[in-house]
């Protein structure tokens, strides 16, 4: 029997109905899938039945004997041992489906965003992170992550998954979310760099007004900043948390520091 390793974020799934639901919500029939952390193959066993190919990255080599059985039975499955975050992803078009290790949730999500080969992600993550990704303006959870993710992807919550569905039981509840990358985006590369920088500065200190955060980031005269915000119909007292994704996009088209 495999002993779950905490340092690798191992919380295994068993329930076949849940696993099948994850696979069907991923819409991967005939497509190429990447899985992070196959573990003992709970999700993998259903992915291989649906996808054209499954490439699974697993850091824990002690799982080799268990996973080798799946690999032998399914020619469309390839397991690569190592840290997913260090892996070069081949050319092609891939869909990420995974019950991911929670200690690297954001790194996995950012790798997904950065790789143009990755088209969608159907992933089990902590509810707390899912709430942030899905958050709307003027809510406590709305932050830089919400805006950046919603800019790149159509975000959809698939389902809640209570902690008792995992072995061992984690300290948090989970959510399956689906991120579908938009084929085209409204900003060019240079504008996107500024967009991300602007958002990070804007949320640096959530309680401060946007003007104060921008003043600290760019050292631009507050009167100039007030005029800048007015171009977008924003009040000088506004905080970043009240500004929607579309308005940040408009701001990225007219950088303040240029
Ligand atoms: N998919 C399985 C296991 C989920 S637990 C299931 O649903 O039951 C998370 C898995 O990710 C574990 O197998 C763990 O060993 C693996 N893992 C942790 N860190 C990893 C990393 N950096 N790269 C690849 N796999 C990793």
């Amino acid at each position: 029997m495999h002993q779950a390793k905490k340092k690798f974020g191992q919380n295994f799934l068993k329930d076949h109905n849940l696993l099948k639901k994850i696979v069907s919500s991923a819409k991967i029939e005939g497509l190429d899938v990447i899985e992070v952390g196959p573990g003992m193959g709970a999700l993998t066993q259903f992915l291989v039945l649906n996808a054209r190919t499954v490439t699974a990255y697993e850091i824990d080599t002690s799982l080799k004997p268990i996973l080798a059985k799946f690999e032998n039975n399914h020619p469309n499955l390839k397991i690569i041992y190592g840290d997913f975050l260090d892996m070069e992803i081949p050319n092609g078009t891939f869909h990420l489906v995974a019950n991911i290790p929670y200690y690297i949730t954001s790194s996995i999500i950012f790798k997904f965003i950065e790789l143009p080969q990755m088209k969608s992600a159907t992933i089990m993550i902590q509810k707390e992170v899912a709430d942030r990704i899905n958050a709307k303006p003027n809510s406590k959870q709305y932050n830089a992550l919400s805006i950046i993710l919603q800019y790149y992807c159509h975000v959809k919550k698939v389902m809640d998954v209570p902690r008792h569905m995992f072995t061992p039981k984690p300290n948090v509840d989970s959510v399956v979310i689906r991120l579908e990358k938009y084929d085209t985006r409204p900003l060019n590369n240079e504008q996107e760099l500024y967009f991300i920088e602007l958002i990070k500065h804007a949320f640096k200190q959530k309680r401060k007004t946007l003007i104060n955060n921008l003043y600290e980031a760019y050292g631009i005269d507050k009167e100039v900043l007030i005029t800048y915000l007015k171009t977008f119909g924003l009040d000088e007292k506004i905080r970043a948390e009240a500004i929607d994704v579309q308005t940040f996009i408009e701001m990225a088209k007219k950088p303040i520091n240029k």
Side-chain angles (χ1 to χ4, degrees), residues 2 5 7-14 19 35-44 57-60 63 80 82-85 98-104 108 166:
H2 177 78
K5 296 192 181 75
K7 66 168 174 177
F8 290 145
Q10 293 183 348
N11 299 99
F12 300 105
L13 290 172
K14 278 188 307 239
L19 291 158
E35 183 185 8
V36 181
M40 295 194 272
L43 186 59
T44 322
Y57 296 88
E58 176 55 65
I59 201 169
D60 184 357
L63 292 162
I80 296 170
D83 186 338
F84 171 70
L85 297 177
N99 166 25
I100 64 177
Y102 291 176
Y103 73 106
I104 45 168
I108 293 173
F166 300 82

Side-chain angles (χ1 to χ4, degrees), residues 9-72:
Q10 293 183 348
N11 299 99
F12 300 105
L13 290 172
K14 278 188 307 239
D15 188 277
H16 282 195
N17 285 329
L18 170 62
L19 291 158
K20 284 181 194 163
K21 232 166 140 180
I22 297 173
V23 174
S24 72
S25 69
K27 303 186 196 129
I28 45 146
E29 284 82 50
L31 301 176
D32 296 316
V33 164
I34 285 180
E35 183 185 8
V36 181
M40 295 194 272
L43 186 59
T44 322
Q45 65 183 324
F46 296 108
L47 289 173
V48 290
L49 301 180
N50 252 257
R52 185 168 74 138
T53 66
V54 177
T55 310
Y57 296 88
E58 176 55 65
I59 201 169
D60 184 357
T61 49
S62 77
L63 292 162
K64 262 185 190 175
I66 300 173
L67 288 171
K69 286 187 200 139
F70 289 100
E71 222 177 358
N72 291 337

